[in-house]
Amino acid sequence: MRAINLPTDLLRAFVSVIDLGGYTRAADALGRTQPAISLQMKRLEELLDAKLLAHEGRELKLTEEGEALAVYARQLLRLNDEAVAKLKGRAAKGQLRVGLPTDFSVAFLQDSIIDFAGEQAKVTLSITCDLSRKLLDLLHADDLDIVIALLARDKNPYLVRSWDERPIWAVAKDFPVNKSVAVPLVTHPEGCEYRRRMTAALRAEGRDWRVAYTTPDIGGLQRAVSAGMGVTALTRKTVLPDMRILASREGFPAMEPIHIGLFYKHQRLSGAGLMLVDSLIARMDEAAEPAPTKASAAR
């Protein structure tokens, strides 16, 4: 098959149209005319033989092919811009607003951000922790620059990379498990994907449950579980030494995996932002659960 090269100027125009919400705004940001941006989009679609953008009323939407390309386009542009910044010796500076989810293990991500801040004295960081859907709303409104969040169930237009994490059942080591009583859940507020997965798994198992403790804070959730308030869903990185993991034989079936994503608008992101993104991707790749081998999958 003949190799197809995707010019970065076409990818930059494509991502700018997405991030800025239209051809005219993309043209202004890139110093081009609106017809020039339209021609670039047409050229990109011709190269890939795919429709990438479609109008729904007055709103511009990504097609399925467009959403798939957007993920690759952001990665290619990030590598391109990082290479240019490194070779030209540009220093990181400015303010970065980062969103981290309360419904995912954020401690190791906070460590990565703190390390970055220590290395980049001219960068001012502001971190917001909230439910994933709220963080994505803030990114959409340009109130955050970079977000780690659980993937939405429909469209994820600013997605750059994604990882899978399977939640596990955790309880205090001395907590008595009684299958004849309703499971006391320690959970984040309504709207949390971990909460939804816990209740869905118990419902499928035919087990009753009740909410024993609700907190928006991962630390508060961990303390409540350690104190014996009930059962919760955690990632392996947030299980504390005084907890134990519950198994399916105890009436706690496997939960659906969580899909975590890194999101940003490339056109809005500074060189400092790209450097932090690179650090976060490296940390998330290190933390990702290894894919099962053929031998383990066969067990």
Side-chain angles (χ1 to χ4, degrees), residues 214-226:
T214 303
T215 174
D217 171 43
I218 182 68
L221 187 147
Q222 290 170 315
R223 288 190 293 273
V225 172
S226 295

Side-chain angles (χ1 to χ4, degrees), residues 191-207:
C192 169
E193 286 296 314
Y194 279 62
R195 177 171 176 154
R196 188 181 73 79
R197 279 159 172 74
M198 282 194 290
T199 56
L202 291 174
R203 192 176 295 114
E205 188 76 2
R207 296 201 64 182

